[in-house]
Amino acid sequence: MPVKLTEHEIEDALKKLPNWQREGDTLRREFQFKNFLDAFAFMTKVAICAEKIDHHPNWSNSYNKVVISLTTHDVGGLTPRDLALAEAINREAP
Ligand SMILES: C[C@H](O)[C@H](O)[C@H]1CNC2=NC(N)=NC(=O)C2=N1
């Protein structure tokens, strides 16, 4: 079971994830694409990453927009797994 990050660890990690915003026990980032197909292609890549690291996003999609929220359900807070997924998502981002 992953261990929750401390406040200090979260603040430190966010310095390396400037596109992500802290919202309580979540990290949030919005993405905008040219059209729905590009948005969905990105979601497919993120889904494959999520399966590989066995950590999954909460997300919504509306046409060309994708909003991703990360948290660790098993412990009710942010853990290193959320940071790993945020980094993996950034690598897939346009
Ligand atoms: C059994 C399985 O590994 C766990 O339930 C994983 C799967 N993916 C997960 N994803 C997220 N975001 N939080 C979790 O706690 C979580 N748990």
Side-chain angles (χ1 to χ4, degrees):
M1 192 73 75
V3 174
K4 274 197 211 184
L5 296 165
T6 64
E7 281 302 311
H8 180 73
E9 285 170 333
I10 294 168
E11 279 163 30
D12 224 36
L14 280 173
K15 289 178 196 156
K16 289 165 219 149
L17 294 167
N19 298 315
W20 292 83
Q21 286 176 335
R22 171 97 183 270
E23 274 192 10
D25 281 339
T26 73
L27 296 181
R28 184 180 195 276
R29 185 174 170 189
E30 293 186 16
F31 301 86
Q32 189 161 328
F33 299 88
K34 200 173 60 187
N35 53 38
F36 173 75
L37 266 187
D38 284 1
F40 200 80
F42 167 71
M43 291 174 80
T44 303
K45 287 189 227 163
V46 171
I48 292 165
C49 286
E51 275 296 290
K52 272 191 197 146
I53 65 176
D54 191 29
H55 197 66
H56 302 86
N58 296 332
W59 56 11
S60 66
N61 160 239
S62 175
Y63 181 51
N64 65 335
K65 292 194 180 122
V66 177
V67 179
I68 300 186
S69 171
L70 304 179
T71 194
T72 303
H73 308 292
D74 292 344
V75 300
L78 288 167
T79 69
R81 289 174 153 237
D82 298 301
L83 303 180
L85 184 53
E87 282 161 13
I89 290 169
N90 281 356
R91 286 194 286 275
E92 301 299 345

